[in-house]
Amino acid sequence: GQGGKGRAAAHIGRVELQAVAQKLGISERELVQELRGGKSLAQVAGEYNVGRDELKATMRAAFAGELDKGVQV
């Protein structure tokens, strides 16, 4: 289900939000506003012609980059 308004933004890390916003060509603030308005990430991405698989890949890459930074000695 869709869940409550803004829930997606609350469960996504800042790095992932930044990466998705950049992929969509919008600001992080604009993306958060869309999510708080009740849209899912997939819905917002679809409006910018970004597919679900591309969206997932963008988020995975951002998360993996943060993991790599976290484990460097």
Side-chain angles (χ1 to χ4, degrees), residues 10-37:
H11 295 290
I12 300 166
R14 184 173 177 94
V15 171
E16 290 87 354
L17 270 178
Q18 289 172 338
V20 170
Q22 183 176 12
K23 179 75 176 174
L24 302 180
I26 61 175
S27 72
E28 185 180 345
R29 175 176 279 181
E30 288 172 301
L31 177 56
V32 170
Q33 287 174 341
E34 295 272 18
L35 296 174
R36 287 187 178 152

Side-chain angles (χ1 to χ4, degrees), residues 16 19-21 23 50 53-63:
E16 290 87 354
V20 170
K23 179 75 176 174
V50 174
D53 289 340
E54 200 173 354
L55 178 65
K56 288 180 188 178
T58 298
M59 292 178 67
R60 278 192 204 108
F63 184 71

